[in-house]
Amino acid sequence: MTTLGDYGEIFMGNPKNLKRAGYDDKGGNIAYDPEFECTGGSSNPNDKQCPFETKESDVMGLATTGWDGRLLHLNMPSFRDPLCPRTLKYLFTKAKRPNDIRVRVLQQNMGDDVDCLETYCDMMAQLREETGGGDTSKGGPAGEDCPHRDQIFVHAINAKDAAGPTYARGLIGQDMHAAYVKNEISPQDFCMSTDSHMDFEPQWDEKMVNMWDQTKNEYAVLSTYVASIEQLGVNLNGVHEVPHLCMVTFTSQVRTTATKCARNLAKPKLTNAVWGAGLSFSKCHAELKVPVDPHTPGIFDGEEFNRAARFFTYGYDVYTPNRTSFMTITDLNTTRKQLHGVMGNLVRKTYKIHTTD
């Protein structure tokens, strides 16, 4: 399968569905033109305004590309998630530079739930036993207690005190600010937020940094909805098809509702104003300047639009990644239905919602 243009293409919608909905747009696929992001289609040179390019004066004495001298901070809220320990295992064992990763987990558990950190340590011990030990990919050196334990920070609260995704991410944001005050986070470090039930391709950390560098934009934020486990490492449809966030719906709030797709993108595509909580990757100054709004307990619809609007008004540009198979949701040995059942039971017990089950 081929794609339009030299830089990839974007799917604008099914022509039949668009016509049925009353739109004149013909839909289908159009060629992606990176120059359009600077000109808006104008041929007047005075109209050209490209995204802010990273300069030496921005990077505090570090290189303008790559991540030498930088850390990667991964933020991960976890709500009674039995897959959290496996996510820690995969993100460390599949990273190229595991020693430069710092993880913050907002663990919302009840007494008999799986502890994310301790179970991760058990899994790494089992991996060392199976492989004989070695580097992180083999569970760490033989005799080591728990590799990278001191790089994992767990903020634990009782699940009964949980108040939705923005509340959880907001607590992590407060923890990040406290770490910044203690000089444990630099604005020039990289920050990523994602979910606690994930898998990763080998060397996912370096792939993320290299892809961010392709934007050539100090204020770039890579974001999309990640794919299912079946697509991990797969060149989807032979054209590197990726989810492209561009659809919202109106409920009581503005909700990011679905994706279309892009194919064979040569670099991340500027999107703006549509951001997905499942994957967000940027320099840490974005997380420090535009933290998740902690004053929205119980909000699900509206979470993502809130963040997108605030990123935009602070001068940040949201991009669709041109590759997403390096990280994906995984159900591993627990189906999504089972996981959702765990959450549903908690909601019934905590908020005493009437049900006829």
Side-chain angles (χ1 to χ4, degrees), residues 6-8 10 31-40 48 50-51 265-270:
D6 296 328
Y7 302 101
I10 306 162
Y32 167 51
D33 178 12
E35 189 66 16
F36 189 87
E37 296 172 357
C38 297
T39 65
K48 188 166 184 176
C50 296
L265 292 179
K267 69 182 192 68
K269 180 199 175 299
L270 182 65

Side-chain angles (χ1 to χ4, degrees), residues 85-283:
R86 205 174 296 255
T87 300
L88 288 179
K89 174 187 173 183
Y90 285 157
L91 76 87
F92 279 113
T93 59
K94 297 187 179 184
K96 183 173 183 179
R97 291 170 50 173
N99 292 325
D100 293 327
I101 296 173
R102 304 293 183 268
V103 183
R104 288 173 178 81
V105 180
L106 195 284
Q107 180 171 269
Q108 303 160 97
N109 271 4
M110 296 185 76
D112 58 348
D113 289 332
V114 171
D115 184 87
C116 190
L117 179 56
E118 297 307 323
T119 307
Y120 155 77
C121 290
D122 293 341
M123 288 180 171
M124 294 299 278
Q126 181 179 353
L127 181 59
R128 284 195 303 277
E129 184 177 342
E130 293 170 354
T131 63
D135 61 17
T136 299
S137 67
K138 296 181 179 179
E144 184 170 341
D145 175 41
C146 183
H148 309 295
R149 184 182 189 121
D150 61 349
Q151 297 167 225
I152 303 168
F153 310 93
V154 178
H155 181 159
I157 66 172
N158 193 294
K160 289 185 177 180
D161 296 324
T166 56
Y167 178 75
R169 298 185 206 279
L171 289 179
I172 295 178
Q174 292 173 10
D175 292 342
M176 289 189 65
H177 184 266
Y180 167 69
V181 170
K182 294 187 289 186
N183 293 319
E184 295 172 356
I185 294 179
S186 165
Q188 278 298 309
D189 288 345
F190 287 100
C191 279
M192 184 168 94
S193 62
T194 187
D195 297 324
S196 57
H197 33 274
M198 309 297 290
D199 198 353
F200 304 80
E201 273 193 3
Q203 301 188 3
W204 64 271
D205 48 345
E206 185 167 90
K207 292 177 183 179
M208 291 294 299
V209 171
N210 290 343
M211 185 163 54
W212 186 90
D213 280 342
Q214 284 185 291
T215 68
K216 297 183 178 180
N217 183 350
E218 180 67 14
Y219 291 88
V221 180
L222 304 178
S223 186
T224 191
Y225 286 165
V226 292
S228 66
I229 183 63
E230 293 79 14
Q231 297 179 24
L232 182 64
V234 174
N235 177 359
L236 193 60
N237 293 324
V239 287
H240 294 291
E241 196 168 277
V242 296
H244 174 48
L245 290 174
C246 59
M247 301 173 68
V248 298
T249 190
F250 296 90
T251 57
S252 59
Q253 305 287 335
V254 183
R255 179 179 181 179
T256 304
T257 182
T259 68
K260 288 189 168 59
C261 68
R263 297 170 173 171
N264 277 342
L265 292 179
K267 69 182 192 68
K269 180 199 175 299
L270 182 65
T271 300
N272 267 338
V274 188
W275 174 86
L279 170 63
S280 183
F281 188 93
S282 63
K283 288 281 185 70

Side-chain angles (χ1 to χ4, degrees), residues 229-344:
I229 183 63
E230 293 79 14
Q231 297 179 24
L232 182 64
V234 174
N235 177 359
L236 193 60
N237 293 324
V239 287
H240 294 291
E241 196 168 277
V242 296
H244 174 48
L245 290 174
C246 59
M247 301 173 68
V248 298
T249 190
F250 296 90
T251 57
S252 59
Q253 305 287 335
V254 183
R255 179 179 181 179
T256 304
T257 182
T259 68
K260 288 189 168 59
C261 68
R263 297 170 173 171
N264 277 342
L265 292 179
K267 69 182 192 68
K269 180 199 175 299
L270 182 65
T271 300
N272 267 338
V274 188
W275 174 86
L279 170 63
S280 183
F281 188 93
S282 63
K283 288 281 185 70
C284 285
H285 54 70
E287 290 287 339
L288 294 167
K289 289 180 181 179
V290 194
V292 173
D293 185 351
H295 306 296
T296 50
I299 292 294
F300 182 76
D301 283 10
E303 171 198 4
E304 295 172 325
F305 188 78
N306 176 310
R307 193 87 188 281
R310 290 167 54 242
F311 270 136
F312 183 80
T313 56
Y314 270 80
Y316 287 92
D317 296 310
V318 180
Y319 287 77
T320 292
N322 57 322
R323 300 289 183 269
T324 58
S325 59
F326 47 79
M327 190 177 71
T328 180
I329 292 177
T330 172
D331 58 13
L332 300 168
N333 295 321
T334 303
T335 66
R336 291 179 189 168
K337 182 177 180 180
Q338 288 171 314
L339 185 57
H340 291 169
V342 170
M343 296 180 179

